[in-house]
Amino acid sequence: MSRFYLTLTAGLSITLITACSQSNEPDIASPSSEASAHRAELEEGASAIVVTGRKVSAPSMDSAMPISVISSEQIAAPPPPPQSRQVVVTGTAIRAPHPDRMMPYYQDFGRDKFTSTQENSFKIAQNEPVSTFSIDVDTASYSFVRASLNNNALPQPAAVRTEELINYFPYDYAAPRSAQQPFTSNVAVFPSPFTAGRKLVRIGIKGYAIERATRPRANLVFLIDTSGSMNAPNKLPLVKKSLGLLLDQLGPNDRVAIVTYAGNAGTALEPTPASQRDKIRAVIDQLGAGGSTAGAEGIRQAYALAERNIDPNGVNRVVLATDGDFNVGITDQNELKGYIERERGKGIFLSVLGFGMGNYNDALMQTLAQNGNGAAAYIDTLGEARKTLVDEATSTLFPIAKDVKIQVEFNPATVAEYRLIGYETRMLNRDDFDNDKVDAGDVGSGQTVTAIYEIVPVGGPRTMGDLRYSNPAPRAVAAGASEYGFLKIRYKLPKSDRSQLISTPIDRRVEFARFADAPQDARFATGVAAFAELLRGGKYSGSMTYDDVLQIVGASRGTDDFGYRMELTQMVRAAKTAGSMAKLER
């Protein structure tokens, strides 16, 4: 009997287990009719929610359990998440933008381009008695040196052109009497502070100053670089302010047009009388920076516009304002030089105003200015803009002579060696002096130009000895020899193609026995030259130091109405402690 119950119990157990394992019913709620009726009652309620499920195996930890939700009313979608604040990517870090902070300006570092030249060396007067060069009234180098020192960095040596530092300052030379002979020469000979036993020959000229009431009309085309590289406070915004200052110096009969260039070039303003200042200023004020730099196309359109409206009795000039970073179209300097040379024959002058630091292309600026019958200035501050375009507006815009060349023939009987300080990029061949086809620099109304030679008198401390197979140089000054050399200046009037000649001897009548007795302006110019030579490396400056420069310029500062000479002393002091390279700041 017990075996029967055991067998029956085992059979029932197996049956139950089999039934459970084969069951696929989805509902695990009670299948009774009472339960079904109860469920129907619940579904009639507006807020009733019944959760149903299936028999599932135990879920793994990385999978979700499926759940079905049945509701008599639609569940609204959840509200969207609140918008996050805009994020500005600066390149190296991600920060939430400050409400008062503007986007960073365009800025480059270390891409300034200058033409590197070797300093003029000493020449033996017996072998090469003649020195010829073009005058240079550019001042761009001085302003760039100042900007570098204000950044607590010494300028690269190629950026320092000694003659441009010297000619940045006006000098009190005798003025010419008439515009027909637009300048006279001023010569002084005095001991050199660089090396004992040597002398300096200072040559100065001053251009005839045109009266405002009699100056010719100006037909100007402002050619403005509006490319993306000009988007910096010391570039396009300063350009606008600078041209606004120049606009205020123009008379009612002058005319202004505006051409801009970025990726393309176009005319922003047709020739307009300067009396309509508000209209011209409105066009300048609305300019913005962006895009690439099609500088060559801008130059072409500016010259074409100036030519279409040329004034045969006035001064026709393109005023280019740029950082020189051409990167679209013609960018080769030789191609641009050839184009500018062809255009200058039409009587259109070119002035170049350089802006910015970091990608400033001085090499291109010099090429354009030197071959376009114009000058180059570097505008680093509003004060410099005022000096160039307000205080010196007539000299900037109105030339009184063009193709001005200087030639000095040294007397081997009194001069053993000589060197020209600066003017390395302006040197000419001897036969260029009398060739009226050879271009040279221009002199503006009232401008002064200064050149300095260092000479080794016969019997003085030479830099080179005699050669074995050549005739030895004189060891003593010949009896009766009083001339150190002979100065010749050749120039053309602005509307003439034929040059005229001025000449004068360089003799002992203009010599001073002591440096302290030399003219005040001559001593100051010597101090400026010494400063420039030290910045370039001091190859020929002897034992001169920055403290010596401070002593020279401090004792010879003289009249300084605008504070330019006092500013030089601050620059010299800055050079004493400036670093060799600008600090990279991001």
Side-chain angles (χ1 to χ4, degrees):
M1 188 68 178
S2 59
R3 179 178 295 179
F4 171 78
Y5 286 114
L6 289 173
T7 303
L8 179 61
T9 302
L12 290 173
S13 299
I14 292 172
T15 301
L16 289 172
I17 293 173
T18 302
C20 290
S21 63
Q22 293 178 351
S23 176
N24 291 322
E25 292 296 328
D27 293 338
I28 60 173
S30 173
S32 66
S33 58
E34 293 180 1
S36 298
H38 180 66
R39 178 180 176 183
E41 291 175 0
L42 291 175
E43 288 180 350
E44 291 177 358
S47 62
I49 298 176
V50 176
V51 180
T52 66
R54 296 182 180 181
K55 180 179 180 294
V56 297
S57 59
S60 60
M61 295 303 295
D62 56 353
S63 63
M65 295 181 62
I67 299 176
S68 299
V69 179
I70 299 176
S71 173
S72 60
E73 65 179 12
Q74 185 177 0
I75 300 176
Q83 290 186 348
S84 59
R85 297 179 66 188
Q86 183 184 3
V87 176
V88 177
V89 180
T90 64
T92 55
I94 300 178
R95 300 181 179 89
H98 191 278
D100 298 327
R101 187 174 298 161
M102 298 178 64
M103 291 292 291
Y105 287 102
Y106 176 92
Q107 188 170 6
D108 269 324
F109 293 90
R111 294 182 56 231
D112 302 309
K113 298 177 184 178
F114 295 87
T115 301
S116 180
T117 58
Q118 295 293 324
E119 291 184 62
N120 288 329
S121 60
F122 278 94
K123 307 288 185 181
I124 298 176
Q126 184 170 311
N127 299 337
E128 300 179 67
V130 178
S131 172
T132 308
F133 63 98
S134 162
I135 61 97
D136 182 5
V137 295
D138 294 351
T139 60
S141 178
Y142 179 93
S143 302
F144 190 89
V145 168
R146 177 181 58 206
S148 297
L149 292 174
N150 285 341
N151 199 29
N152 196 32
L154 293 171
Q156 54 179 292
V160 183
R161 291 184 289 272
T162 303
E163 74 278 7
E164 294 189 21
L165 269 69
I166 295 173
N167 289 324
Y168 182 84
F169 302 93
Y171 298 97
D172 190 21
Y173 301 145
R177 297 180 179 179
S178 71
Q180 297 307 308
Q181 185 173 328
F183 41 71
T184 55
S185 59
N186 189 297
V187 180
V189 181
F190 48 93
S192 171
F194 303 143
T195 303
R198 297 176 184 169
K199 299 179 185 293
L200 297 181
V201 178
R202 192 284 317 270
I203 300 169
I205 59 177
K206 183 172 184 176
Y208 177 77
I210 302 174
E211 296 294 334
R212 183 179 180 87
T214 60
R215 67 171 178 77
R217 292 186 300 272
N219 170 37
L220 305 180
V221 178
F222 293 166
L223 176 56
I224 305 174
D225 183 352
T226 57
S227 63
S229 66
M230 294 292 287
N231 183 29
N234 61 346
K235 293 188 179 181
L236 187 57
L238 186 55
V239 169
K240 295 179 180 181
K241 295 176 182 178
S242 300
L243 294 181
L245 293 174
L246 176 57
L247 182 61
D248 291 336
Q249 303 306 306
L250 301 180
N253 294 325
D254 299 325
R255 298 179 70 83
V256 172
I258 298 176
V259 173
T260 64
Y261 65 89
N264 295 301
T267 300
L269 178 70
E270 292 290 338
T272 302
S275 57
Q276 299 181 24
R277 284 181 170 79
D278 291 342
K279 178 180 179 180
I280 300 171
R281 204 181 302 275
V283 174
I284 295 175
D285 290 344
Q286 61 85 30
L287 297 177
S292 52
T293 315
E297 177 60 18
I299 291 174
R300 187 194 66 79
Q301 292 195 24
Y303 269 102
L305 187 59
E307 185 180 1
R308 287 199 304 270
N309 299 276
I310 197 165
D311 185 344
N313 298 317
V315 172
N316 303 280
R317 186 178 294 274
V318 174
V319 181
L320 170 61
T322 179
D323 59 10
D325 191 18
F326 292 9
N327 53 34
V328 172
I330 298 175
T331 60
D332 181 76
Q333 290 188 31
N334 290 326
E335 286 191 66
L336 289 168
K337 174 183 175 182
Y339 176 78
I340 295 296
E341 287 175 342
R342 292 188 293 272
E343 292 298 311
R344 76 180 180 218
K346 301 175 182 177
I348 302 172
F349 292 81
L350 174 69
S351 292
V352 180
L353 305 178
F355 292 82
M357 180 175 285
N359 68 329
Y360 175 65
N361 192 345
D362 177 85
L364 178 61
M365 305 290 199
Q366 293 296 309
T367 296
L368 296 178
Q370 290 183 20
N371 294 280
N373 276 358
Y378 178 78
I379 310 297
D380 59 328
T381 64
L382 191 60
E384 183 61 27
R386 187 172 291 108
K387 174 182 183 293
T388 303
L389 303 175
V390 177
D391 302 332
E392 300 173 1
T394 54
S395 61
T396 299
L397 297 177
F398 302 101
I400 51 91
K402 64 181 181 180
D403 295 341
V404 182
K405 309 169 189 174
I406 293 179
Q407 188 173 81
V408 178
E409 179 185 357
F410 288 99
N411 182 6
T414 56
V415 178
E417 297 174 358
Y418 69 89
R419 76 177 181 103
L420 175 60
I421 302 178
Y423 291 93
E424 285 84 2
T425 64
R426 302 288 183 146
M427 301 305 296
L428 299 174
N429 296 324
R430 177 178 173 179
D431 58 344
D432 290 338
F433 183 76
D434 293 318
N435 187 348
D436 285 350
K437 297 294 185 181
V438 176
D439 184 59
D442 304 333
V443 176
S445 171
Q447 274 185 323
T448 58
V449 181
T450 301
I452 300 175
Y453 283 94
E454 185 175 20
I455 64 173
V456 180
V458 168
R462 295 171 56 185
T463 64
M464 294 171 281
D466 293 325
L467 297 176
R468 181 180 180 88
Y469 303 109
S470 63
N471 295 326
R475 299 294 181 182
V477 177
S482 62
E483 291 186 359
Y484 289 108
F486 193 71
L487 169 66
K488 295 188 291 185
I489 304 173
R490 191 170 286 281
Y491 67 94
K492 300 173 188 172
L493 294 176
K495 299 295 183 180
S496 175
D497 292 327
R498 178 174 296 181
S499 67
Q500 301 182 40
L501 181 67
I502 299 173
S503 61
T504 186
I506 304 171
D507 55 27
R508 299 188 188 279
R509 291 177 299 176
V510 294
E511 185 173 4
F512 298 85
R514 299 189 310 154
F515 180 79
D517 296 333
Q520 186 179 76
D521 279 343
R523 288 182 282 123
F524 183 83
T526 300
V528 179
F531 177 48
E533 295 291 281
L534 288 173
L535 291 175
R536 299 180 70 178
K539 183 177 180 180
Y540 297 109
S541 58
S543 60
M544 184 72 62
T545 66
Y546 288 124
D547 287 329
D548 296 326
V549 172
L550 287 171
Q551 184 176 1
I552 292 173
V553 298
S556 58
R557 192 167 69 217
T559 302
D560 189 22
D561 293 337
F562 297 100
Y564 302 146
R565 298 190 176 192
M566 173 59 76
E567 179 189 64
L568 176 70
T569 63
Q570 302 303 321
M571 290 169 59
V572 178
R573 291 191 178 98
K576 293 174 62 177
T577 58
S580 299
M581 183 179 296
K583 182 180 178 181
L584 180 63
E585 296 182 358
R586 293 291 189 184

